[in-house]
Amino acid sequence: MGRAVGVIASTAVCQAALMVGFGLLITGPAARVWPLTSEDQVTDALERARTGTLDTVSLVASEAGNTVTVVAGTLLACLVLLLVPRLPRWRDALFLSVAVSLQALVFLAVTEAVDRTRPDVDRLDASPPTSSYTSGHTGAATALYAGLAVLVLHRTKGPWRKPVAFLLLLVPLLVGAARAYRGMHHPTDIAGGLLNGGLSLLVVGRALLTGPHVPAAAPASSARPEDPAPLAPGRTTVVFNPTVTGERDCAELRRVLDEHGHHGAEFVPTTADDPGEGQAERAVRDGASLVVVCGGDGTVRAAAEALAGTGIPLAVVPCGTGNLLARNLGLPAMPAQALAAALRGAVQRIDLGRIEGDGIAPAHFTVMSGAGLDAAMLESTSDRAKALIGWPAYVMAGLRELRAPRMRLTVGIDGARPLRRSARMVLIANTGKVQGGAALVPAARPDDGLLDLMILDPRGPGGWLSAVVSLLRRRPERETGHTGPAPSVEYFTFHRADLRFDAPQQRELDGDPVAPGRRLSAEVRPGALTVLLPARGE
């Protein structure tokens, strides 16, 4: 992201210089050269061609590029990109918002540097105080609607995408024509707006949309082969959560399995009484050589419980709300794409965490377990909210829980002297990334033979600001323990940790709330789970 910001900033300066240069050329030496000498004739002809109907049509087209419409349209499009897909398309939303913002900044710089009067005709709209060059309406419309066309063409499938993209690309041209018809701009001003919006899309797109479009990089391991052999076909069982995996998803997954030689796969649904462990156990007993799990982190955790230590590969297919293990393993967001990438990839072992406590039977987790704020957030997030808006429902619930009282606890790490701490939240992490791609525990990796502990204890606005800064740095210091004043965020790495709370606390296991209690003990099981990971460069 730092590199992308540098590329955009440096290239934007060149873009602004180019647009200013064209403007000074148009208003200077080229003003007496054809075809610029005929621009007044074009605007006069458009004025003579006006009718009541065309006035109304041009007003509607012009409004599609005004500031309010473009800002509202950009915000709405970004919200859709973040809330509607199973995984938020942060990169696409960032591309669209930055492109629109960049063209606006360049437009303002150009209008300050180039002074051009508007056409000498009867103008149908109030004249803003900016220069006629370039057309801001046209530039904004190009950045927004052509940007949407780019996303439609490159991020969707189906026969409808090309007609939709064509209609979106037509909007900036209609806006430009309307602005010229209404006497607001010369034809070269319209061309300048199209160029400014197009260059903004090119600059931002090259910086943000190139490269592999996956949520995270797959974990690196010295044992991972450079050119892995494909998984040998055999008996395949697909364990799927029917509440988040529809018939169409199952058909797509069966097609992908057939394409990779896994014919006749058995599809077994989970139930309310058995979220995946029993189905995976039966698959092991029946001699499965591959178990595919379609669902959220709870379904994956249940299946991993049965597969731990068996050596039977697990292919994770993200179909739930959080899908944190899939994010951390670098799998694509769409189920069929994730399965295809896994089947083309390599077999690798990753760690599991094993946790127990009062009221919690010994169990494994793949991603995180914890107590405090995160557990309260998960407890208060309704299934209806998750179904309607996806993972942002967790954020909304978390905001409601920020005023919950902090807890007091004793932390014992690998037999060292116990530490006394207060905290809003404690997290025991096997992987580090959470919703939205945020690295909550940046040093945690699923293949390093270690678990990580995060203790979050911000105090007041300054403490929360310090915590946010620490999280954004993404390079926290791993610690072995100290007795000095505790910062807002602390990180520890361990093989075994024992947490004892002074009062019962809400607790969670891989995103599922468990019974409140006063104790959590966690230890790592290195390499306990065999998974299929995408090949390098997927």
Side-chain angles (χ1 to χ4, degrees):
M1 186 56 67
R3 178 181 177 275
V5 171
V7 169
I8 292 172
S10 58
T11 314
V13 173
C14 299
Q15 175 185 340
L18 178 65
M19 295 301 304
V20 169
F22 279 145
L24 296 176
L25 183 65
I26 289 170
T27 57
R32 296 180 294 275
V33 178
W34 189 89
L36 272 71
T37 53
S38 62
E39 284 197 296
D40 289 340
Q41 299 174 20
V42 173
T43 54
D44 290 340
L46 290 173
E47 182 182 33
R48 292 193 298 270
R50 290 175 183 170
T51 65
T53 301
L54 289 177
D55 289 353
T56 302
V57 172
S58 68
L59 175 62
V60 173
S62 178
E63 289 298 300
N66 72 21
T67 302
V68 174
T69 303
V70 170
V71 170
T74 304
L75 290 175
L76 178 61
C78 290
L79 285 174
V80 170
L81 289 168
L82 296 178
L83 300 182
V84 171
R86 283 193 176 94
L87 287 179
R89 296 183 178 272
W90 285 101
R91 195 186 299 191
D92 294 353
L94 196 61
F95 157 72
L96 193 64
S97 59
V98 173
V100 173
S101 301
L102 176 59
Q103 71 79 30
L105 291 173
V106 173
F107 162 75
L108 292 175
V110 171
T111 56
E112 287 294 321
V114 180
D115 186 17
R116 191 182 198 191
T117 58
R118 297 188 182 274
D120 188 18
V121 296
D122 181 25
R123 293 187 284 275
L124 298 181
D125 298 321
S127 299
T130 54
S131 169
S132 181
Y133 177 87
T134 63
S135 171
H137 280 60
T138 307
T142 302
L144 173 58
Y145 300 107
L148 289 173
V150 170
L151 296 180
V152 167
L153 288 173
H154 291 278
R155 297 289 189 247
T156 62
K157 296 181 180 180
W160 53 268
R161 65 189 185 99
K162 289 186 177 179
V164 169
F166 172 79
L167 293 176
L168 288 169
L169 291 171
L170 192 61
V171 175
L173 299 177
L174 294 176
V175 171
R179 298 300 287 170
Y181 171 87
R182 300 179 71 79
M184 303 306 296
H185 294 286
H186 305 278
T188 46
D189 302 333
I190 306 300
L194 292 170
L195 180 62
N196 183 32
L199 287 175
S200 298
L201 291 173
L202 179 62
V203 169
V204 179
R206 291 284 294 177
L208 296 180
L209 295 186
T210 54
H213 193 71
V214 296
S221 172
S222 58
R224 186 169 179 172
E226 291 294 331
D227 297 305
L231 180 71
R235 185 184 181 94
T236 300
T237 299
V238 180
V239 179
F240 68 97
N241 184 339
T243 63
V244 293
T245 310
E247 294 182 2
R248 183 176 179 180
D249 293 319
C250 290
E252 279 288 293
L253 297 178
R254 189 180 296 277
R255 177 187 61 79
V256 172
L257 288 167
D258 288 340
E259 289 176 353
H260 289 80
H262 298 270
H263 303 291
E266 180 185 11
F267 281 68
V268 183
T270 64
T271 65
D273 296 328
D274 191 343
E277 184 176 354
Q279 293 85 344
E281 285 180 347
R282 285 191 293 275
V284 173
R285 290 197 303 268
D286 293 343
S289 61
L290 171 66
V291 176
V292 179
V293 178
C294 315
D297 289 307
T299 307
V300 174
R301 191 204 66 77
E305 189 75 52
L307 296 175
T310 65
I312 298 174
L314 165 67
V316 179
V317 177
C319 292
T321 304
N323 303 313
L324 294 186
L325 183 61
R327 293 170 187 262
N328 283 273
L329 296 182
L331 290 164
M334 302 305 291
Q337 295 174 14
L339 178 58
L343 294 176
R344 290 193 298 266
V347 175
Q348 182 176 335
R349 292 183 179 275
I350 65 171
D351 308 331
L352 288 176
R354 185 178 183 275
I355 200 158
E356 59 181 313
D358 51 325
I360 302 178
H364 291 95
F365 65 92
T366 62
V367 182
M368 295 178 184
S369 180
L373 178 61
D374 69 315
M377 172 189 70
L378 293 167
E379 182 72 37
S380 62
T381 303
S382 68
D383 292 336
R384 178 177 176 81
K386 289 189 289 185
L388 286 175
I389 64 175
W391 67 264
Y394 293 126
V395 178
M396 297 172 62
L399 293 175
R400 294 194 299 267
E401 300 294 336
L402 288 180
R403 298 181 64 87
R406 57 175 37 88
M407 52 191 170
R408 295 286 297 173
L409 71 154
T410 301
V411 182
I413 296 177
D414 289 336
R417 181 179 178 180
L419 307 173
R420 284 292 291 171
R421 290 290 185 266
S422 62
R424 296 281 187 182
M425 175 175 72
V426 293
L427 274 182
I428 301 167
N430 186 40
T431 63
K433 292 184 181 294
V434 294
Q435 285 86 357
L440 197 59
V441 189
R445 298 187 62 83
D447 58 354
D448 60 1
L450 296 166
L451 294 177
D452 287 72
L453 172 67
M454 183 187 80
I455 300 178
L456 178 69
D457 189 30
R459 296 174 182 267
W464 283 104
L465 179 60
S466 174
V468 170
V469 170
S470 298
L471 295 174
L472 291 177
R473 282 189 310 174
R474 292 177 176 261
R475 287 190 293 271
E477 293 293 332
R478 274 182 164 181
E479 305 183 36
T480 56
H482 61 76
T483 58
S488 297
V489 184
E490 283 185 286
Y491 293 95
F492 302 87
T493 182
F494 64 91
H495 294 92
R496 178 180 175 86
D498 295 287
L499 310 180
R500 296 183 181 274
F501 307 100
D502 290 2
Q505 301 296 328
Q506 292 175 289
R507 300 175 294 182
E508 59 93 2
L509 183 63
D510 268 352
D512 290 330
V514 294
R518 301 178 65 164
R519 183 171 61 86
L520 282 177
S521 296
E523 63 180 348
V524 65
R525 288 196 60 192
L529 184 64
T530 303
V531 295
L532 283 179
L533 295 184
R536 292 180 180 177
E538 272 284 336

